Amino acid sequence: MQLLVIGGGGREHALIWKLKQSPRVEKIYCVPGNGGIAELAECLPALAVDGALVGWAVRQGVDLVIIGPEAPLVAGMADEFEAAGLPVFGVCREAARLEGSKSFAKEIMSAAGVSTAAARAFTDLDEAVAYLETGAAPYVVKADGLAAGKGVIIAEDFEAARRAISDCLVDRRFGDAGRQVVIEEFLAGQEVSVLAFVDGKTIKAMPPAQDYKRVGDGDAGPNTGGMGAFAPAPFLDEDGLAGVVTGILEPTIKALARRGIIYKGVLYAGLMLTETGAKVLEFNTRFGDPETEALMPLFDGDLVEVMLSCAQGRLAGVDVPWSTAKSLTVVLASEGYPESPVTGREITGLVEAAKKDVVIFHAGTRLEGGKMLTSGGRVLNVSAVAGSFAEAREKVYEAVKLIKFEGMRYRSDIGIMGRGD
Ligand code: AMP
Ligand code: GLY
């Protein structure tokens, strides 16, 4: 089979690494790809911009299209490939609104009877501030649209919350994504990401994962796209996971189906495990990044078959096996991430690090003149699997020590602090 993968981050590298292990794969194309993906797939950066991707894929005889990031899903890329008769792993435009609009997600959760933080949406500054006055710190202010994981502000006092609202609505700090703000009840507890394969009706959950969103050790600093992750997260046992499937994922898929929206792809619930049960913080309509870089090394099945079965509505009959080992991934990020990452720096030590029983997934890299250069905020993910989180952590940080680029930063506490073991 010939596969086409859309995207060029650590998530897509991890997916391609696993897809490539399937005996059914002859060739993988990736648009746009990155410096690491280029070792496993033919990267076609130019096709990302010329608007002729669907026609190209049809002519090329691509058998399955896999769409990684949220932006093309929200823009309706899955619909376009499907209309051309190609099987697609990735949700349609309407389903992607579950991630693309926080107010739509709240509406679906309410229709589905799914537990989530109480919230209200505003486009008017005065009305938003008046509502804020009825609450108490800490305040949660979110840009309604897509903001690459950075549009959520947890404000410790009223003034900071008011400023966050004004930044969104008046100064348009997040552009159009912040035309509407959502003010939400603050929830305390352990955060867990539950990702599941969905084929329209059948749901098969992956092991729960935990992501580290803040940039610094001890959860200091601003939110990022994610600085590391581990799986399986021990906070949600088998019964707890089954409860999330029946109490959250299934009702959500059904509420969408009642609106004529067939959900095929990955459904990702960002959960807070509160004293009164699991509540949804957000839905994503795709694989998590960096959760995928921790999950894929645990996946023991044929990913091509699983993805194709989702596209074709026959997931119920397909095996989705997982290792019971512990997996961990650490993100190596650029100087200045997340606000203003500095790129174009040479990376060394990758070959030596790869000898350390780890897998290195590239997120923001490009090959130029035989050199591997940084090209984004998140640059690399170093992942390892072992019998315990402590062992996996040791392997990862041993390898990290060998990798170098100017300004490189990473969290040194992934899998510790009462998280992991
Ligand atoms: P989101 O992009 O909605 O997942 O939010 C990013 C991060 O902000 C989450 O991973 C949480 O750590 C935090 N967060 C979001 N909503 C809430 C909430 N209602 N209460 C507490 N923390 C939250
Ligand atoms: N790791 C968070 C996300 O993928 O949105």
mmCIF file of all heavy atoms in Angstrom, residues 211 213 225-226 268 282 284 286-291, ligand 2:
data_model
loop_
_atom_site.group_PDB
_atom_site.id
_atom_site.type_symbol
_atom_site.label_atom_id
_atom_site.label_comp_id
_atom_site.label_asym_id
_atom_site.label_seq_id
_atom_site.Cartn_x
_atom_site.Cartn_y
_atom_site.Cartn_z
ATOM 1 N N ASP A 211 0.334 14.430 29.837
ATOM 2 C CA ASP A 211 1.146 15.385 29.096
ATOM 3 C C ASP A 211 1.610 16.463 30.082
ATOM 4 O O ASP A 211 0.935 16.721 31.074
ATOM 5 C CB ASP A 211 0.206 15.957 28.018
ATOM 6 C CG ASP A 211 0.766 17.130 27.256
ATOM 7 O OD1 ASP A 211 1.988 17.265 27.208
ATOM 8 O OD2 ASP A 211 -0.037 17.905 26.706
ATOM 9 N N LYS A 213 2.148 20.306 30.154
ATOM 10 C CA LYS A 213 1.861 21.458 29.286
ATOM 11 C C LYS A 213 2.744 22.670 29.568
ATOM 12 O O LYS A 213 3.032 23.453 28.678
ATOM 13 C CB LYS A 213 0.398 21.883 29.474
ATOM 14 C CG LYS A 213 -0.596 20.833 29.008
ATOM 15 C CD LYS A 213 -1.404 21.306 27.812
ATOM 16 C CE LYS A 213 -2.112 20.179 27.111
ATOM 17 N NZ LYS A 213 -3.407 19.847 27.662
ATOM 18 N N GLY A 225 2.748 23.642 23.669
ATOM 19 C CA GLY A 225 2.096 22.525 22.978
ATOM 20 C C GLY A 225 2.308 21.209 23.711
ATOM 21 O O GLY A 225 1.652 20.218 23.398
ATOM 22 N N GLY A 226 3.213 21.176 24.702
ATOM 23 C CA GLY A 226 3.508 19.933 25.433
ATOM 24 C C GLY A 226 5.008 19.720 25.505
ATOM 25 O O GLY A 226 5.689 19.816 24.491
ATOM 26 N N TYR A 268 -9.853 12.535 21.205
ATOM 27 C CA TYR A 268 -8.937 12.744 22.331
ATOM 28 C C TYR A 268 -9.676 13.574 23.369
ATOM 29 O O TYR A 268 -10.089 14.706 23.087
ATOM 30 C CB TYR A 268 -7.717 13.467 21.765
ATOM 31 C CG TYR A 268 -6.742 14.175 22.692
ATOM 32 C CD1 TYR A 268 -5.394 14.202 22.397
ATOM 33 C CD2 TYR A 268 -7.156 14.850 23.856
ATOM 34 C CE1 TYR A 268 -4.489 14.878 23.206
ATOM 35 C CE2 TYR A 268 -6.258 15.509 24.671
ATOM 36 C CZ TYR A 268 -4.938 15.523 24.335
ATOM 37 O OH TYR A 268 -4.048 16.198 25.130
ATOM 38 N N GLU A 282 -11.092 19.544 27.479
ATOM 39 C CA GLU A 282 -11.148 19.864 26.049
ATOM 40 C C GLU A 282 -11.234 18.570 25.266
ATOM 41 O O GLU A 282 -10.839 17.512 25.749
ATOM 42 C CB GLU A 282 -9.888 20.615 25.606
ATOM 43 C CG GLU A 282 -8.632 19.788 25.764
ATOM 44 C CD GLU A 282 -7.413 20.288 25.005
ATOM 45 O OE1 GLU A 282 -7.550 21.227 24.213
ATOM 46 O OE2 GLU A 282 -6.341 19.712 25.191
ATOM 47 N N ASN A 284 -9.890 17.050 21.573
ATOM 48 C CA ASN A 284 -9.135 17.234 20.352
ATOM 49 C C ASN A 284 -9.608 16.168 19.380
ATOM 50 O O ASN A 284 -10.036 15.085 19.795
ATOM 51 C CB ASN A 284 -7.630 17.103 20.606
ATOM 52 C CG ASN A 284 -7.110 18.243 21.469
ATOM 53 O OD1 ASN A 284 -7.517 19.391 21.293
ATOM 54 N ND2 ASN A 284 -6.241 17.939 22.416
ATOM 55 N N ARG A 286 -7.855 14.598 17.012
ATOM 56 C CA ARG A 286 -6.623 14.087 16.376
ATOM 57 C C ARG A 286 -5.763 13.478 17.459
ATOM 58 O O ARG A 286 -6.085 13.573 18.648
ATOM 59 C CB ARG A 286 -5.888 15.268 15.742
ATOM 60 C CG ARG A 286 -5.777 16.370 16.807
ATOM 61 C CD ARG A 286 -4.811 17.421 16.633
ATOM 62 N NE ARG A 286 -4.910 18.417 17.683
ATOM 63 C CZ ARG A 286 -4.283 18.366 18.855
ATOM 64 N NH1 ARG A 286 -3.489 17.347 19.142
ATOM 65 N NH2 ARG A 286 -4.445 19.305 19.756
ATOM 66 N N PHE A 287 -4.642 12.870 17.053
ATOM 67 C CA PHE A 287 -3.677 12.373 18.036
ATOM 68 C C PHE A 287 -3.067 13.545 18.811
ATOM 69 O O PHE A 287 -2.856 14.611 18.242
ATOM 70 C CB PHE A 287 -2.529 11.660 17.335
ATOM 71 C CG PHE A 287 -2.830 10.253 16.902
ATOM 72 C CD1 PHE A 287 -3.218 9.978 15.610
ATOM 73 C CD2 PHE A 287 -2.701 9.198 17.795
ATOM 74 C CE1 PHE A 287 -3.474 8.685 15.202
ATOM 75 C CE2 PHE A 287 -2.950 7.897 17.398
ATOM 76 C CZ PHE A 287 -3.340 7.635 16.099
ATOM 77 N N GLY A 288 -2.753 13.334 20.069
ATOM 78 C CA GLY A 288 -2.074 14.348 20.872
ATOM 79 C C GLY A 288 -0.595 14.395 20.553
ATOM 80 O O GLY A 288 0.002 13.398 20.148
ATOM 81 N N ASP A 289 -0.019 15.546 20.745
ATOM 82 C CA ASP A 289 1.416 15.708 20.571
ATOM 83 C C ASP A 289 1.915 16.399 21.833
ATOM 84 O O ASP A 289 1.480 17.526 22.101
ATOM 85 C CB ASP A 289 1.684 16.558 19.316
ATOM 86 C CG ASP A 289 3.123 16.469 18.853
ATOM 87 O OD1 ASP A 289 3.978 16.056 19.657
ATOM 88 O OD2 ASP A 289 3.387 16.803 17.693
ATOM 89 N N PRO A 290 2.709 15.791 22.699
ATOM 90 C CA PRO A 290 3.576 14.624 22.485
ATOM 91 C C PRO A 290 3.024 13.270 22.973
ATOM 92 O O PRO A 290 3.794 12.309 23.028
ATOM 93 C CB PRO A 290 4.813 14.983 23.304
ATOM 94 C CG PRO A 290 4.256 15.712 24.492
ATOM 95 C CD PRO A 290 3.058 16.481 23.964
ATOM 96 N N GLU A 291 1.746 13.156 23.298
ATOM 97 C CA GLU A 291 1.252 11.850 23.768
ATOM 98 C C GLU A 291 1.564 10.721 22.773
ATOM 99 O O GLU A 291 1.924 9.602 23.160
ATOM 100 C CB GLU A 291 -0.269 11.885 23.999
ATOM 101 C CG GLU A 291 -0.708 12.671 25.216
ATOM 102 C CD GLU A 291 -1.026 14.118 24.893
ATOM 103 O OE1 GLU A 291 -0.439 14.671 23.938
ATOM 104 O OE2 GLU A 291 -1.871 14.705 25.590
HETATM 105 N N1 GLY B 2 -0.699 17.376 24.061
HETATM 106 C C1 GLY B 2 -1.790 18.238 23.884
HETATM 107 C C2 GLY B 2 -2.328 18.269 22.533
HETATM 108 O O1 GLY B 2 -1.940 17.530 21.671
HETATM 109 O O2 GLY B 2 -3.228 19.065 22.299
#
